Amino acid sequence: MTLSNKQLKIYHWLVSFILTLLLVAHTAGQLTMPTLQRIENILYDLRLRTTMPNTLDERIVILDIDEKSLAQEGHWPWRRDKLADLVDILFDYYGIKLIGFDVVFSEKNENDSLQTLEKLAENQLKNDPNFLSVIEKIRPSLLYDDRFSQSLQHRPVVLGYFFSHHNEKNNEIGQLPLPFSDTHNDFTHLLFEAKSYIANLPTLQTAALTGGYLNNANVDEDGVYRRLPIITNYNHQLYSTLALSLFSQLLNLPPIEFVTSNDYGENRLEAVKLAGFTIPVDDSGNLLVPFRGNQGSFNYISVTDVLNGAVDVAKLKDKIVIIGTSAAGLLDLRSTPVQNIYAGVEVHANILSGLLDQSIKSRPTYIIAVEMLELVLLFILSMVLFSRVSIAASALIFASFCGLMIALNVYLWSVKNVDTHLATPLILFSLLYGGQMFFGFFFENRKKKQLGMIFGQYIPKELVEEMSNSDEEFTLKGENREMTVFFSDVRGFTTISESLQAAELCDLINAILTPVTRIIHENNGTIDKYIGDAIMAFWGAPMHTNKHAYLAVKAGLTVIKEFDSINAHFKLKNWPEVDLGVGLNTGEMVVGNMGSEFRIAYTVMGDTVNLGSRLEGLTKQYGVKMIVSESTRAAAPEFVYRELDWVRVKGKNKPIKIYEPICEQADIEELEQKILNHTSHAIDAYRQQKWDEAHALFSDLHDAKPHDLLYRIYLERIAYFTENPPTSNWDGTFTHTSK
């Protein structure tokens, strides 16, 4: 079964609508499309790498437990007294501002030497007072956890710990810090919820000011760190990530304010506020990591160099220090958008740097609705616009809108710090454009072929092209339609034909009909038929147009002007000069394929058509080259007309006014306009039977234009009616009895 163009269009719309609906559902989070998400991530990473500042932030220093430190100080974990010395050196000698540990101290640091001495004191040397006295003196220095705890006290230190978001029962190791906030807020059910934790020894966590969790509960499916939740819900309390805890410490632990919005019928988190600083997050508490550049965007200093005093004091003075590791063996390397192997400690440094600079990108909840609306608008634009323009224009529109979407996306990211999806609208727009091009090419070729077969012999190829780009349905079936019909005839052709040989006569008629046909085609007219030297044409079919009368009058005036060139050409060939008469009428007529089972033609019929033919015949009677009916004049007011008469033509009882088109309104000369006004006054006087006044007016006109037959006609009528007054019911109408 062959589908019609209309059915195929419906299928095209349906497929495009379903495709748009799927991508809208994906954007709304109701449908997961992994491939699309991967492309979105790729574009996100590309945009991030292209726009990141690639500068060094000297406010933050990463104290690195690197391969060099492990070689010098021994395998990790180190004794806690060494870490206590490190903290003392950093604060007392280097004068740092704040320490954050990207390390967890969840197990006690056992001291074998102290255990051995205590066994001797309990057994062999329990009665040796000197030995027991020495043990009591050196015991504090051998309690490494206590030594480390003492170094943390009364100092701005933030310890790290881990949350587990899996179902792990009774797996709570160490002690959590004080919570960031309680969860009396009604947005917390959307946050990540921890199930268990691995934290620091109580003695250490109590000594430190606070803590921050280190792990990311929201690593993307490709294993890349692009975002992480900066707050997490655990046992109805909110806890913060290491970077946020450090930031809060820098601000002296200010009160916390949560910014929420009521979307989709529930409160959702939009941002966290601290001391006037706004931290944009999504409703799950996720923050987009503001990477400054590749690894090395912060100064790295080896821990062993600090322990041995080999670092210039100026490099650490008043700095924020984060202690972590870049050593591969300690398994704190991550995959990020900017680098496949990236130290996890620098992720925390990037977040803290972004918090200090207020350069965090946001993805507010409302942006989802905006993106969904964008997809719907792209669907409407594609389906409505692409089908109405050429292939070249479609390509230009497609490229322009893609460029506009990319530019707007980069602008929102770089200037407004707003993250919006780019892959989804680009892919949808590309698919809709590709579908439109495929179906459009199929439709266009099929439609052109059909229209060319049906109408190609009647109308110019340019009009076939326009018809193929139109949504209008074209048919050969008969229908009533308001149109304008055109008749032209070469005057005296019979006499001319008698003076020429057959071959010359063919050349002559072709030389006349070719330019006239070209002009009709240029004005979107449809050739009905050639009748010897005569042409019948019409406007308004097969393609609808409200300007059919305007185009027909314009074509008629152009044809008349063209005869000057035709006669100049004929003169060179010693052919007789020719003249043309044109008749136009506008009104409702029947158009369609008409004829017999042996032969049919696409033509027009009706009284309107017949009247058009009669008007062409009247051009000889009035000595003018073109006559139009009053309906044509009303439908084409863009032209200046000269009223000719009020007549009854053969076969018609109802009188009509007939006019001669002069030119377009903008082209009328002042003198010509005065003559037209004078003519109108003269005809009015004639119809009112003011014979003397009418005679005087027409005499003036005849003197001005002695060769104008119209004025002689009226002078003859006035002379007759002066001697033979008309009947009392005379209305000024003249009845023509010939065609």
Side-chain angles (χ1 to χ4, degrees):
M1 182 181 67
T2 302
L3 297 175
S4 67
N5 282 349
K6 187 173 183 180
Q7 289 173 318
L8 286 172
K9 273 192 173 182
I10 292 173
Y11 290 145
H12 176 216
W13 272 77
L14 185 61
V15 169
S16 300
F17 177 75
I18 292 173
L19 181 63
T20 304
L21 196 62
L22 290 174
L23 268 66
V24 167
H26 170 79
T27 301
Q30 302 301 313
L31 178 68
T32 301
M33 303 177 73
T35 301
L36 185 57
Q37 188 57 52
R38 282 196 293 272
I39 298 173
E40 199 71 69
N41 288 339
I42 291 171
L43 291 182
Y44 176 92
D45 297 348
L46 177 63
R47 182 180 55 198
L48 176 65
R49 290 194 298 269
T50 304
T51 59
M52 60 188 183
N54 288 307
T55 55
L56 182 70
D57 188 347
E58 296 185 350
R59 297 168 298 182
I60 302 170
V61 173
I62 295 175
L63 209 55
D64 193 8
I65 306 172
D66 54 5
E67 301 291 351
K68 176 183 177 181
S69 298
L70 295 176
Q72 292 290 330
E73 307 298 333
H75 296 297
W76 185 266
W78 295 337
R79 284 175 15 192
R80 303 282 162 76
D81 61 330
K82 180 176 293 189
L83 294 174
D85 291 340
L86 176 63
V87 172
D88 289 340
I89 292 170
L90 288 171
F91 281 106
D92 296 339
Y93 179 72
Y94 286 104
I96 67 169
K97 184 180 295 184
L98 177 66
I99 289 181
F101 278 91
D102 187 18
V103 181
V104 181
F105 307 105
S106 59
E107 298 177 350
K108 291 184 177 181
N109 191 178
E110 302 292 345
N111 188 332
D112 294 338
S113 299
L114 178 59
Q115 291 176 356
T116 301
L117 291 174
E118 287 180 339
K119 285 182 180 179
L120 289 173
E122 292 173 357
N123 296 297
Q124 293 92 335
L125 299 176
K126 64 180 179 180
N127 295 319
D128 186 338
N130 292 328
F131 180 75
L132 296 175
S133 175
V134 170
I135 287 178
E136 291 303 318
K137 289 181 181 180
I138 66 174
R139 182 188 297 276
S141 63
L142 297 177
L143 294 173
Y144 299 147
D145 286 334
D146 290 346
R147 171 77 179 84
F148 187 30
S149 175
Q150 290 171 4
S151 71
L152 301 178
Q153 289 178 1
H154 310 300
R155 284 172 170 168
V157 176
V158 179
L159 297 181
Y161 59 93
F162 290 102
F163 271 131
S164 173
H165 297 271
H166 304 292
N167 292 320
E168 298 179 11
K169 301 293 184 180
N170 301 319
N171 188 14
E172 298 178 349
I173 300 173
Q175 177 179 309
L176 289 175
L178 293 175
F180 188 64
S181 173
D182 59 35
T183 59
H184 66 274
N185 299 284
D186 55 1
F187 61 80
T188 54
H189 65 287
L190 297 172
L191 302 178
F192 285 91
E193 185 173 356
K195 305 298 181 181
S196 60
Y197 61 84
I198 299 176
N200 298 283
L201 295 172
T203 182
L204 300 180
Q205 188 58 69
T206 303
L209 283 178
T210 186
Y213 59 85
L214 306 174
N215 55 310
N216 185 358
N218 194 27
V219 181
D220 289 339
E221 291 183 358
D222 56 3
V224 177
Y225 273 51
R226 296 183 180 88
R227 59 188 60 79
L228 84 166
I230 60 168
I231 53 175
T232 289
N233 183 10
Y234 179 72
N235 281 349
H236 309 296
Q237 302 287 337
L238 295 185
Y239 295 86
S240 61
T241 187
L242 177 66
L244 181 57
S245 295
L246 288 168
F247 185 63
S248 180
Q249 288 294 329
L250 288 171
L251 300 177
N252 297 319
L253 299 174
I256 304 155
E257 181 182 351
F258 295 105
V259 180
T260 61
S261 63
N262 192 284
D263 294 315
Y264 311 105
E266 59 183 350
N267 268 353
R268 292 172 177 261
L269 185 62
E270 289 277 358
V272 177
K273 277 192 173 182
L274 294 174
F277 288 84
T278 301
I279 306 169
V281 295
D282 65 15
D283 54 12
S284 296
N286 287 305
L287 173 144
L288 295 170
V289 180
F291 290 98
R292 298 185 69 89
N294 292 334
Q295 183 169 316
S297 297
F298 304 88
N299 287 319
Y300 277 71
I301 296 177
S302 180
V303 172
T304 189
D305 289 340
V306 173
L307 287 171
N308 293 295
V311 179
D312 186 2
V313 173
K315 290 184 177 181
L316 286 169
K317 180 68 173 178
D318 293 325
K319 305 296 184 184
I320 303 165
V321 173
I322 302 178
I323 300 176
T325 180
S326 65
L330 298 184
L331 304 177
D332 192 29
L333 299 178
R334 304 285 182 258
S335 176
T336 68
V338 300
Q339 201 168 320
N340 288 333
I341 300 176
Y342 196 90
V345 62
E346 192 162 344
V347 174
H348 299 294
N350 274 287
I351 296 173
L352 180 57
S353 176
L355 293 175
L356 292 170
D357 293 336
Q358 287 288 279
S359 60
I360 306 295
K361 309 297 183 184
S362 67
R363 183 168 170 77
T365 305
Y366 70 80
I367 210 68
I368 297 175
V370 173
E371 290 170 344
M372 292 167 63
L373 178 61
E374 179 186 19
L375 298 178
V376 173
L377 291 177
L378 288 175
F379 166 74
I380 295 173
L381 172 71
S382 301
M383 302 310 296
V384 173
L385 187 58
F386 285 147
S387 61
R388 298 178 183 272
V389 297
S390 66
I391 293 177
S394 295
L396 181 61
I397 292 171
F398 172 74
S400 300
F401 270 87
C402 286
L404 181 63
M405 284 189 286
I406 293 171
L408 180 60
N409 183 272
V410 173
Y411 169 78
L412 291 174
W413 172 272
S414 303
V415 179
K416 298 299 183 180
N417 285 332
V418 175
D419 171 42
T420 59
H421 284 169
L422 180 59
T424 305
L426 283 179
I427 289 175
L428 175 64
F429 199 47
S430 299
L431 291 174
L432 293 175
Y433 171 73
Q436 184 64 51
M437 290 302 99
F438 172 78
F439 279 97
F441 180 80
F442 180 76
F443 287 149
E444 186 174 352
N445 281 276
R446 180 176 176 181
K447 192 173 182 181
K448 278 184 181 179
K449 186 176 180 181
Q450 292 173 341
L451 293 171
M453 291 174 60
I454 297 171
F455 298 107
Q457 58 184 314
Y458 309 116
I459 61 177
K461 62 180 182 179
E462 293 81 9
L463 191 55
V464 174
E465 179 86 16
E466 186 177 347
M467 290 166 65
S468 69
N469 293 327
S470 172
D471 291 332
E472 185 179 343
E473 290 291 335
F474 301 98
T475 177
L476 291 175
K477 295 179 181 179
E479 59 177 315
N480 287 316
R481 189 182 293 188
E482 184 183 277
M483 301 165 55
T484 299
V485 68
F486 171 105
F487 286 91
S488 70
D489 187 40
V490 178
R491 293 177 183 163
F493 184 73
T494 302
T495 303
I496 294 171
S497 64
E498 292 174 352
S499 64
L500 296 174
Q501 297 295 324
E504 279 190 309
L505 184 60
C506 287
D507 291 342
L508 182 142
I509 195 65
N510 290 338
I512 294 173
L513 297 183
T514 298
V516 175
T517 301
R518 172 180 52 79
I519 291 169
I520 292 173
H521 280 181
E522 287 175 350
N523 288 277
N524 292 341
T526 301
I527 298 295
D528 186 307
K529 59 177 69 72
Y530 300 107
I531 311 168
D533 59 303
I535 297 178
M536 177 180 172
F538 52 81
W539 277 259
M543 190 167 183
H544 279 283
T545 175
N546 293 326
K547 300 182 68 176
H548 50 83
Y550 169 81
L551 293 170
V553 175
K554 182 181 177 185
L557 289 172
T558 308
V559 165
I560 292 169
K561 187 176 181 181
E562 181 68 18
F563 263 70
D564 292 337
S565 299
I566 292 174
N567 282 318
H569 174 67
F570 282 10
K571 187 175 182 180
L572 295 175
K573 299 177 75 77
N574 293 319
W575 287 348
E577 289 191 4
V578 292
D579 204 355
L580 186 78
V582 175
L584 295 178
N585 189 28
T586 299
E588 190 172 278
M589 57 193 78
V590 178
V591 61
N593 249 4
M594 301 175 200
S596 68
E597 60 179 295
F598 302 104
R599 185 174 181 181
I600 59 175
Y602 187 69
T603 186
V604 289
M605 295 181 64
D607 288 342
T608 302
V609 179
N610 296 334
L611 179 56
S613 177
R614 300 288 189 273
L615 295 179
E616 182 276 319
L618 291 181
T619 57
K620 302 173 188 176
Q621 305 284 342
Y622 289 89
V624 296
K625 296 182 180 181
M626 186 174 176
I627 292 179
V628 304
S629 65
E630 55 188 320
S631 59
T632 301
R633 178 182 181 273
E638 298 88 351
F639 297 93
V640 176
Y641 299 87
R642 179 173 70 160
E643 184 180 349
L644 298 177
D645 205 352
W646 197 357
V647 301
R648 287 186 183 90
V649 298
K650 184 175 176 61
K652 298 288 183 182
N653 293 322
K654 184 179 179 181
I656 62 166
K657 286 185 179 179
I658 58 174
Y659 299 86
E660 178 193 12
I662 304 300
C663 62
E664 293 205 42
Q665 293 276 4
D667 299 331
I668 187 68
E669 296 180 356
E670 184 178 356
L671 179 60
E672 186 69 29
Q673 185 64 61
K674 288 182 179 179
I675 292 174
L676 291 177
N677 294 338
H678 206 67
T679 302
S680 179
H681 293 153
I683 292 176
D684 287 342
Y686 166 78
R687 289 186 183 140
Q688 295 171 20
Q689 302 182 37
K690 298 178 180 178
W691 309 121
D692 293 339
E693 180 182 348
H695 184 274
L697 291 171
F698 277 116
S699 294
D700 292 341
L701 291 167
H702 182 266
D703 292 341
K705 290 189 173 184
H707 299 293
D708 197 319
L709 181 59
L710 178 67
Y711 304 136
R712 293 207 305 270
I713 290 173
Y714 274 100
L715 287 172
E716 291 173 0
R717 290 183 189 177
I718 292 169
Y720 174 80
F721 284 129
T722 301
E723 298 295 331
N724 304 282
T727 59
S728 59
N729 61 349
W730 182 76
D731 57 3
T733 302
F734 186 83
T735 300
H736 290 273
T737 57
S738 64
K739 295 183 179 180

